[in-house]
Amino acid sequence: MSDSIEIYTDGACKGNPGPGGWGALLVYKGVEKELWGGETATTNNRMELTAAIRALEALKRPCEVTLVTDSEYVMKGIREWLPNWKKRNWQTAAKQPVKNADLWKQLDEQVNRHEVAWQWVRGHNGHHGNERADALANRGVDEVRQLKAASR
């Protein structure tokens, strides 16, 4: 794995659940690529996970990735909870189904394609990559809202 890439991800939701969006900024050798999307009825956590999944999916070959997120849910899930969920067949310690297991499985699959170093940053704190990802996530929300309004 020689290609090194930085990825900044964020999710947004207007109402939780409600219309949501995800955004990712990929930076490779100074070149930036923006990705975003949204869903009409979702949660903030689902959008945070989707942002990381879509960003990693966009990589055509295995890469060394530094993935920066402001989501403690994603960080704790990937670093602490995921191995035990897999051992317990996607059940929590309380024997409940893992929330968002569909997305956690997709994220796990994508992470296994790459060498990912995870970094947490405080959201809305002036971090350039995080602010850009936040703007893209909100763009995803806005587009979903516009589509919904147009279909009425």
Side-chain angles (χ1 to χ4, degrees), residues 14-138:
K14 305 300 178 201
N16 204 11
W22 59 270
L25 174 67
L26 287 66
V27 184
Y28 175 69
K29 294 183 179 175
V31 177
E32 296 182 349
K33 179 175 184 166
E34 296 179 335
L35 304 172
W36 69 92
E39 293 178 22
T40 53
T42 188
T43 65
N44 192 61
N45 284 342
R46 287 189 69 80
M47 292 295 90
E48 294 282 2
L49 287 165
T50 299
I53 293 163
R54 296 292 172 258
L56 292 169
E57 278 178 349
L59 304 177
K60 303 279 188 265
R61 58 187 174 274
C63 297
E64 285 180 23
V65 177
T66 300
L67 199 148
V68 182
T69 178
D70 64 5
S71 170
E72 291 187 42
Y73 174 70
V74 171
M75 289 299 288
K76 282 193 167 106
I78 207 75
R79 286 187 166 163
E80 299 170 31
W81 305 329
L82 191 66
N84 289 323
W85 287 340
K86 287 164 73 172
K87 280 184 208 158
R88 290 192 294 258
N89 200 24
W90 299 96
Q91 300 262 311
T92 64
K95 304 270 189 268
Q96 296 299 309
V98 169
K99 283 188 178 139
N100 305 314
D102 57 329
L103 296 178
W104 283 112
K105 289 172 185 175
Q106 289 177 49
L107 182 58
D108 187 42
E109 193 178 304
Q110 290 305 316
V111 167
N112 288 328
R113 291 180 46 225
H114 307 285
E115 203 173 296
V116 183
W118 294 86
Q119 273 183 21
W120 181 82
V121 295
R122 185 172 303 286
H124 313 288
N125 211 26
H127 185 285
H128 174 71
N130 178 255
E131 295 290 342
R132 292 274 303 279
D134 178 65
L136 292 166
N138 281 297

